[in-house]
Amino acid sequence: MVGDSEENDDCVIADEMIYIPEVRNEKRPKVGMKFDSLDFVYDFYNRYALLAGFSIRRHSSGREKYSKEILRKEFVCCKQGVFKKEEPRAVKRHRGISRCGCKARVVVVKVSRCKQYAFSLVVEGHNHTMTPPERVHFMRSHRHISEPAKLLTKQLGSADIPTHKKMSILEVQSGGMEKIGFTKKDIYNFEYYESSLMKNHDVELVTEYFLAEQKNNRSFYFKIEGDSNDRLTRCFWADVTSRLAYGFYGDVVVLDTTFNTNRYGLPFAPMLGVNNHGQTIVLACAFLSKETTESFIWMFEEFKKAMPGGEPKMIITDQDAAMARAIFEVFPTTFHRLCIWHITTKFSDKLPRTAYEEYWKEFKETIWEIDNIDEFEEKWHAIITKSGLTDHSWLSSVFDLRKSWVPAYVKHIFAAGMSSSQRAEGSHAFFKQYISRRNSLMDFITRFQRALSHQRQKELLVDHIDAFEKPQCALLLTMDKQMAEIYTKAMFQKFEQELMQSLPCFMELKMDDASKAIYKVSERKRGKTRVTEVVYDKYSDQWSCSCKGFEFIGILCCHALALLKREQIEYLPNKYILNRWKKTAKSGLVSDSNGNEIKDCENNSLLIKRSRMSRLASDVIEHALMSEEGCDVLSNNLNDTRVMLKLLNDGVGPSEVGGSSSQTRYLKDPKRVTHKGSSKRVKGAKEMRMERGIRHCQQCGQTSHDIRRCPRMANTS
């Protein structure tokens, strides 16, 4: 309603319209009303403002001279005061003017006798219209993110749910956008505030997390190191599940660093393996500030300390010189294999275009289909001579490295069927669904653990399938039924495929004497006949094939299986059944270098405890929501529990955090680093041509036209 003008300074300036909110009398503030605290005063006046259609804020205070106790407090309308125009300056955003000199306010003073606050002045008149009910929830004092909403927002954020979807979830939960109690911008501000709290404490939080995990299970291993300024430079960790996995599947390790996983630009180096289902598993993780030989040596040394069972048989990496030197120094008996994919994909960029188009098919057949070393070298030299590339520096360099990547040279060493680090590339793509370059280290650890638990759930699922289901055999052979009982489903399918391919193989005895027999086995595949040589050593009772399938994959090849069938051997001998591919591969004890058993203490992880308690709390809340009485009972009990837990936690000092004494010194957050992989990726000529849409003329090779507009074709016509 509109009131009359007054000359009293406590209202508004003369000749201005005065707007008195229309609110029920019992909800209005009145002089003499008393409250136990200033918070109660604010809540009461803010509820009145919500009904009236305006927003409030705290204003001036009067304090006692010595004790600084607040004796007088003023709460005003959000439009109190006037805009003061300042000197022009560069600003990031231009805000509108909201203040118009409104005089509506309340003043409380402290009553000395009862230690309460009482209204001493109430001015209800405003010099502006009231905000209608459908818009009042946008006003600042009526927007507040409650503690449950903050917790839910954090949980949704850890699940990579964007802010606009969080608002949709909260809308459904609250019953409408106007009932949420805050806006999307408030969520952004809250997340920024939470992130700022972690600033300069990131490494401290990570260290506390690792120490807590180590306290729950002493088999958790981690090491953090810093520079001379006590800033983190490298970090290594491996949980108990990873250490146990290395004890069972630590024969082959794949390593490839990745970037854009954290706000500091630290390269992330996960060390990966393959389980008995052929799935990728994480064996250990590290952050390195520099990709130098020294850093890789430190990482590999920590890996050796953490992992049971000695050095791996093979490590597969890309062509990184610093990594190669570190592997040679730390793992002298481990075979270092270079990723064949990284090398073969460079042929299109390194070779002249015409040479690549004409001879790449021959290069590919030579690399992949020849098993004999002498035959490979002869064919290689024949191709480069024929193509005129004998002096090509890059071809010469990769040929010098042939013993590290060409299958003919490396297939005699077990690699679980892997010839490249693409398994690491796939793993990076999987984990980057959960993490981003904006993550702090603690955010990364939390999100990475969640992604890791999803990955391990897939392993548990196939373990469950193997335990409760028996695969169907496509062949009515005793050996097929035998391996269906022993191998995991994934490995059995590979074995059965080899067994089926052995059926049409043609065998010819090449030589037979007192010590050995040599067979020539022909296999028809993709319209081509492939001939391999299978040798039977009579003294050791051992079959070996020139394709090195068993040595490379760990499953007997079709050529050897064809001869076993010819010799009427019904059951596959145990010497050809690797334990790592069995259903029972994870049975047995695993001990560290000190002889201590590595145990997986179930349900002791912080994440598992949190998950268990969250499920319990969710069930209790669902039952309480069925009635008002249930909500009251639960609220009272939760308040009592919160007080008790606060008292309990206040008695726990920092000295009670478990872990190794070497890691109780907290380091500072790392500085942003730049590295060789942080710049924009260098694209090959072929990829750049495809992006630009440039095509070469197939007749003359020029880029100014295609074959349809080629002058040579016109002259020919």
Side-chain angles (χ1 to χ4, degrees):
M1 61 184 269
V2 181
D4 296 330
S5 301
E6 295 185 14
E7 295 182 0
N8 189 342
D9 186 55
D10 287 341
C11 273
V12 294
I13 301 173
D15 299 329
E16 275 191 342
M17 301 290 288
I18 300 176
Y19 296 88
I20 305 296
E22 296 182 355
V23 180
R24 290 167 55 186
N25 192 53
E26 63 269 19
K27 301 290 184 179
R28 293 175 178 274
K30 301 179 184 64
V31 175
M33 294 180 69
K34 294 180 180 179
F35 302 88
D36 291 334
S37 70
L38 291 174
D39 289 336
F40 289 155
V41 177
Y42 179 87
D43 291 341
F44 176 83
Y45 193 44
N46 196 44
R47 285 196 298 271
Y48 163 72
L50 177 65
L51 297 172
F54 68 97
S55 180
I56 69 169
R57 56 186 170 85
R58 294 176 175 88
H59 195 43
S60 61
S61 302
R63 296 178 180 269
E64 205 275 330
K65 183 176 181 180
Y66 298 104
S67 65
K68 303 300 180 182
E69 182 183 13
I70 297 176
L71 302 178
R72 180 183 181 277
K73 186 70 178 176
E74 189 172 349
F75 300 87
V76 299
C77 172
C78 66
K79 288 181 172 288
Q80 179 270 345
V82 293
F83 173 73
K84 293 181 180 180
K85 191 170 184 180
E86 300 179 354
E87 292 294 327
R89 56 189 177 89
V91 292
K92 291 184 178 179
R93 57 178 177 169
H94 297 276
R95 292 183 176 180
I97 300 172
S98 61
R99 302 198 180 185
C100 60
C102 181
K103 299 295 183 179
R105 65 187 185 274
V106 294
V107 178
V108 292
V109 295
K110 190 163 188 179
V111 182
S112 57
R113 288 178 298 175
C114 56
K115 294 184 180 182
Q116 290 181 314
Y117 290 92
F119 284 133
S120 63
L121 175 67
V122 176
V123 179
E124 292 191 80
H126 297 259
N127 66 347
H128 55 87
T129 58
M130 299 294 101
T131 303
E134 63 269 16
R135 288 193 283 112
V136 73
H137 63 279
F138 291 119
M139 307 192 80
R140 189 66 196 92
S141 68
H142 306 309
R143 298 188 343 241
H144 171 69
I145 306 179
S146 63
E147 291 303 319
K150 290 178 181 179
L151 179 60
L152 179 59
T153 300
K154 291 180 182 178
Q155 291 174 337
L156 295 175
S158 64
D160 300 318
I161 296 177
T163 303
H164 70 278
K165 290 189 177 179
K166 294 177 188 176
M167 291 298 293
S168 299
I169 295 171
L170 291 165
E171 177 191 2
V172 174
Q173 187 184 59
S174 304
M177 291 292 291
E178 70 281 358
K179 297 180 181 178
I180 294 177
F182 48 88
T183 64
K184 184 164 63 174
K185 184 179 178 181
D186 296 327
I187 293 287
Y188 283 118
N189 291 338
F190 168 69
E191 290 172 346
Y192 178 80
Y193 173 74
E194 288 290 310
S195 177
S196 66
L197 291 179
M198 295 181 64
K199 194 173 182 180
N200 300 324
H201 299 284
D202 200 8
V203 177
E204 181 180 341
L205 291 171
V206 171
T207 307
E208 289 283 1
Y209 175 82
F210 285 162
L211 287 170
E213 286 293 315
Q214 200 173 67
K215 182 180 179 181
N216 288 324
N217 192 324
R218 61 188 180 90
S219 295
F220 183 90
Y221 184 92
F222 77 100
K223 187 67 177 291
I224 299 176
E225 284 196 358
D227 57 15
S228 57
N229 296 319
D230 282 343
R231 290 193 179 275
L232 179 139
T233 55
R234 46 204 184 193
C235 170
F236 176 92
W237 74 96
D239 63 11
V240 60
T241 305
S242 294
R243 297 181 72 192
L244 284 171
Y246 183 85
F248 303 126
Y249 316 113
D251 39 19
V252 185
V253 175
V254 182
L255 173 61
D256 184 29
T257 55
T258 185
F259 310 97
N260 299 328
T261 62
N262 58 90
R263 65 174 62 161
Y264 309 103
L266 296 175
F268 177 56
M271 307 184 78
L272 309 172
V274 181
N275 65 11
N276 56 339
H277 304 284
Q279 297 172 320
T280 302
I281 55 174
V282 176
L283 301 175
C285 301
F287 278 121
L288 303 172
S289 61
K290 298 178 181 178
E291 290 184 284
T292 60
T293 302
E294 179 194 0
S295 295
F296 285 124
I297 287 176
W298 177 88
M299 181 181 72
F300 290 139
E301 289 290 357
E302 294 302 322
F303 185 78
K304 281 180 66 175
K305 294 176 187 175
M307 297 302 158
E311 300 178 9
K313 295 179 181 178
M314 177 180 286
I315 294 181
I316 304 174
T317 71
D318 59 7
Q319 286 179 275
D320 189 294
M323 198 182 296
R325 288 191 292 268
I327 291 172
F328 179 77
E329 181 171 334
V330 181
F331 301 120
T333 62
T334 298
F335 185 84
H336 179 204
R337 179 168 185 170
L338 299 179
C339 172
I340 193 172
W341 180 83
H342 279 94
I343 294 175
T344 54
T345 51
K346 293 179 182 177
F347 272 77
S348 61
D349 294 333
K350 300 294 184 180
L351 299 187
R353 185 181 60 83
T354 54
Y356 173 77
E357 291 176 352
E358 187 173 352
Y359 296 104
W360 165 240
K361 188 176 180 180
E362 292 186 52
F363 273 117
K364 186 168 67 172
E365 290 176 353
T366 302
I367 293 169
W368 288 105
E369 297 182 11
I370 295 179
D371 299 324
N372 185 273
I373 293 175
D374 295 332
E375 186 180 348
F376 167 81
E377 293 186 0
E378 181 182 348
K379 188 71 179 292
W380 179 278
H381 289 304
I383 297 172
I384 63 172
T385 302
K386 181 171 52 174
S387 60
L389 299 172
T390 52
D391 297 328
H392 196 281
S393 58
W394 183 79
L395 280 177
S396 299
S397 66
V398 295
F399 182 76
D400 292 339
L401 295 171
R402 63 192 182 279
K403 294 182 180 179
S404 298
W405 65 276
V406 177
Y409 292 88
V410 299
K411 285 188 74 173
H412 64 286
I413 302 173
F414 179 75
M418 294 184 292
S419 57
S420 73
S421 60
Q422 279 192 295
R423 191 176 285 268
E425 300 283 350
S427 180
H428 297 336
F430 169 75
F431 285 117
K432 284 187 177 181
Q433 298 175 38
Y434 299 82
I435 56 182
S436 73
R437 67 177 67 190
R438 297 186 299 272
N439 293 144
S440 65
L441 293 182
M442 191 62 232
D443 283 339
F444 174 89
I445 296 294
T446 304
R447 291 168 180 259
F448 180 79
Q449 285 297 117
R450 180 169 152 266
L452 196 58
S453 67
H454 288 185
Q455 186 186 73
R456 288 170 176 171
Q457 279 297 313
K458 294 179 181 178
E459 183 178 356
L460 287 174
L461 176 61
V462 289
D463 282 342
H464 173 75
I465 291 173
D466 279 340
F468 284 88
E469 296 180 10
K470 182 179 178 181
Q472 295 183 7
C473 297
L475 301 174
L476 299 177
L477 297 176
T478 304
M479 190 179 293
D480 199 32
K481 297 176 182 178
Q482 172 201 3
M483 301 318 297
E485 297 286 345
I486 297 175
Y487 279 149
T488 62
K489 183 178 180 180
M491 292 304 111
F492 170 71
Q493 289 173 347
K494 290 187 176 182
F495 171 80
E496 191 174 55
Q497 186 67 28
E498 293 291 334
L499 195 59
M500 293 176 70
Q501 290 176 5
S502 71
L503 299 177
C505 286
F506 177 77
M507 294 150 285
E508 179 184 353
L509 181 62
K510 188 176 179 181
M511 189 266 286
D512 190 7
D513 58 22
S515 61
K516 63 182 178 181
I518 301 176
Y519 296 86
K520 187 171 71 171
V521 180
S522 301
E523 176 195 7
R524 188 75 176 170
K525 198 172 184 180
R526 299 190 188 97
K528 295 182 179 180
T529 301
R530 183 185 183 188
V531 180
T532 59
E533 192 175 83
V534 180
V535 178
Y536 173 62
D537 190 316
K538 297 181 179 180
Y539 293 129
S540 61
D541 190 26
Q542 189 83 17
W543 296 89
S544 62
C545 181
S546 61
C547 76
K548 303 297 180 184
F550 176 70
E551 291 83 353
F552 177 58
I553 305 174
I555 294 177
L556 208 59
C557 65
C558 61
H559 317 111
L561 287 171
L563 287 168
L564 289 178
K565 184 165 59 68
R566 178 180 181 272
E567 297 295 322
Q568 297 183 349
I569 299 175
E570 293 186 355
Y571 293 93
L572 188 66
N574 287 330
K575 65 178 76 175
Y576 302 117
I577 306 174
L578 294 191
N579 186 66
R580 71 159 357 265
W581 298 134
K582 293 181 180 180
K583 297 177 182 178
T584 58
K586 288 186 285 189
S587 60
L589 301 178
V590 178
S591 302
D592 60 17
S593 57
N594 298 322
N596 298 318
E597 182 183 352
I598 299 176
K599 295 181 180 180
D600 189 359
C601 300
E602 294 184 2
N603 298 328
N604 276 339
S605 168
L606 292 178
L607 293 176
I608 294 176
K609 287 180 179 178
R610 181 186 180 90
S611 176
R612 187 175 65 246
M613 288 189 290
S614 296
R615 288 198 302 269
L616 177 60
S618 178
D619 291 342
V620 173
I621 291 172
E622 289 296 327
H623 285 89
L625 290 173
M626 300 300 292
S627 65
E628 289 294 331
E629 184 181 356
C631 291
D632 294 338
V633 171
L634 179 59
S635 297
N636 293 333
N637 283 299
L638 285 177
N639 285 326
D640 294 341
T641 305
R642 182 171 57 182
V643 173
M644 188 165 32
L645 289 175
K646 187 177 185 303
L647 294 173
L648 183 64
N649 292 332
D650 288 344
V652 179
S655 61
E656 296 184 44
V657 179
S660 58
S661 59
S662 62
Q663 293 299 330
T664 54
R665 182 173 64 92
Y666 297 122
L667 298 175
K668 300 175 185 176
D669 292 355
K671 288 186 175 181
R672 172 94 186 159
V673 299
T674 56
H675 41 76
K676 58 189 177 184
S678 62
S679 59
K680 192 173 182 180
R681 182 172 64 89
V682 178
K683 298 179 181 179
K686 180 181 178 182
E687 186 176 357
M688 292 174 68
R689 286 197 304 270
M690 292 177 64
E691 289 184 355
R692 293 196 303 265
I694 295 176
R695 295 182 295 176
H696 287 85
C697 175
Q698 298 177 5
Q699 180 67 21
C700 64
Q702 295 185 16
T703 59
S704 59
H705 57 267
D706 58 19
I707 193 170
R708 295 173 297 175
R709 298 177 178 84
C710 181
R712 293 185 186 179
M713 294 296 293
N715 294 335
T716 303
S717 301

